[in-house]
Amino acid sequence: MAKKSVRNTRGKIVSAAWKLFYEQGYEDTTVEEIIELSKTSKGSFYHYFDGKDALLSTLSVLFDDKYEELKTQLDSELPAIEKLLQLNSELFAMIENSISIDLLARLLSTQLVTSGEKHLLDHNRTYYKLLRKIIARGQEEGQIGTKMSVSEMVKLYALCERALLYDWCLCGGEYPLRQYSASVLPSFLSGFLPEK
């Protein structure tokens, strides 16, 4: 029970922070506003985070929360490639509608220069577990080829998603992320199909 309470308190802080970052910008958001919106205490905030900058690395937590939600909504009858496309579409829609490009760019840059943990590459995240499950099942059912291992395919898929996000940030969001991904990702994923 204690673990769930810890996750809930930390999760409330993370959710409140990213909501405020999106609505009023990172620079204009204070720790006090995050504490107020999350309905937590200053002690709780500083128990989990050294300060506002420490919240930048928590975007992967928001992504994983979205994946937890999507896990329950995925149609088990969908082919594996369709599941991957649906996951991407839903995540990128969330990013377009609730994460500012500046914050996403800031997160990506922190992952490039950090000497500490690279949260986006943590293979214990829900993201990676879900991808492994979908791809492994797709291989078992003959929907996905077996010339590459599940791990190699997961790595390639994640690489493609990061590339799409990076390019979108680099271009200042001049095109719709979800729509562009929907036109590019199917061609990329065709390489996962079994050889005929």
Side-chain angles (χ1 to χ4, degrees):
M1 191 70 160
K3 261 188 179 174
K4 191 169 186 178
S5 176
V6 165
R7 238 187 352 252
N8 286 344
T9 302
R10 189 175 190 276
K12 285 180 189 176
I13 294 168
V14 169
S15 294
W18 284 96
K19 183 177 186 332
L20 290 168
F21 293 164
Y22 182 72
E23 290 174 355
Q24 58 194 43
Y26 176 79
E27 299 300 333
D28 293 331
T29 298
T30 65
V31 168
E32 289 72 25
E33 289 171 318
I34 295 167
I35 292 166
E36 183 180 327
L37 183 63
S38 66
K39 295 181 175 40
T40 57
S41 67
K42 197 171 195 168
S44 291
F45 181 91
Y46 286 105
H47 174 75
Y48 296 109
F49 303 103
D50 293 336
K52 188 170 73 167
D53 287 348
L55 284 157
L56 286 175
S57 66
T58 64
L59 187 55
S60 60
V61 173
L62 281 188
F63 291 173
D64 277 353
D65 286 348
K66 183 66 176 176
Y67 280 112
E68 285 290 345
E69 177 189 319
L70 292 171
K71 262 191 340 188
T72 63
Q73 297 171 2
L74 274 180
D75 179 353
S76 61
E77 299 303 312
L78 272 180
I81 297 293
E82 292 302 317
K83 286 179 186 171
L84 294 173
L85 290 170
Q86 183 181 351
L87 286 175
N88 173 264
S89 178
E90 293 296 327
L91 182 73
F92 280 12
M94 181 198 89
I95 290 170
E96 277 186 305
N97 295 320
S98 61
I99 310 291
S100 77
I101 290 175
D102 291 341
L103 281 175
L104 187 58
R106 200 179 284 229
L107 168 78
L108 293 171
S109 68
T110 64
Q111 294 292 278
L112 289 171
V113 297
T114 186
S115 56
E117 187 180 350
K118 296 190 185 293
H119 301 279
L120 292 178
L121 299 179
D122 179 358
H123 286 264
N124 290 316
R125 289 180 48 212
T126 299
Y127 172 69
Y128 287 104
K129 290 176 183 175
L130 185 54
L131 292 179
R132 283 192 295 271
K133 183 178 176 183
I134 291 170
I135 291 170
R137 185 164 178 210
Q139 282 186 335
E140 288 166 14
E141 295 178 355
Q143 300 167 355
I144 290 183
T146 55
K147 65 181 177 192
M148 284 188 281
S149 71
V150 170
S151 295
E152 289 171 315
M153 289 183 172
V154 166
K155 185 175 181 172
L156 284 172
Y157 177 87
L159 176 87
C160 183
E161 278 201 329
R162 284 194 309 272
L164 287 164
L165 287 175
Y166 179 82
D167 187 69
W168 187 60
C169 290
L170 198 61
C171 295
E174 68 184 27
Y175 55 83
L177 175 63
R178 183 183 193 184
Q179 185 180 333
Y180 184 70
S181 181
S183 69
V184 171
L185 201 53
S187 295
F188 178 83
L189 290 177
S190 68
F192 285 15
L193 295 172
E195 291 180 345
K196 301 250 178 188

